[in-house]
Amino acid sequence: MSNGLEVDPSELRGISVNSGVVAANLDVLLRLLRNAEGDGAAPGGGLAVVARLREVRTGWEERLTTVRDEAADLEHQLVAAAGGFESTEAANRAALAAAGALLERGAAAP
């Protein structure tokens, strides 16, 4: 019976894969953004337009880089959390088994 407190490490690993995919896709997007040719200015737009477009592009690069880095970090943290839950769960099962064995021995004593 589920009490709503269980953590499924495989679910954490699945989410971590998704975070890794987001990070990889953002990495590709950032490369495309950095390698985009031209400044996007219409002919006759003037230097002020070009400068502003570069500012906007730089702002997007910074934001997307932050999101990519956070997604990559989240991927690693979720994998670590899954491993932590598994080791804690294994230790808890071992402790419960030992306590159960002690209780059985105590119940079997005359």
Side-chain angles (χ1 to χ4, degrees), residues 62-79:
E62 290 169 356
R63 289 181 187 108
L64 291 171
T65 299
T66 299
V67 172
R68 180 204 56 201
D69 294 347
E70 290 291 331
D73 188 48
L74 181 60
E75 177 184 16
H76 300 297
Q77 289 184 27
L78 288 167
V79 169

Side-chain angles (χ1 to χ4, degrees), residues 26-44:
L26 284 170
D27 199 41
V28 170
L29 178 65
L30 283 163
R31 269 188 264 126
L32 291 171
L33 183 62
R34 289 178 184 130
N35 294 331
E37 290 191 25
D39 52 31

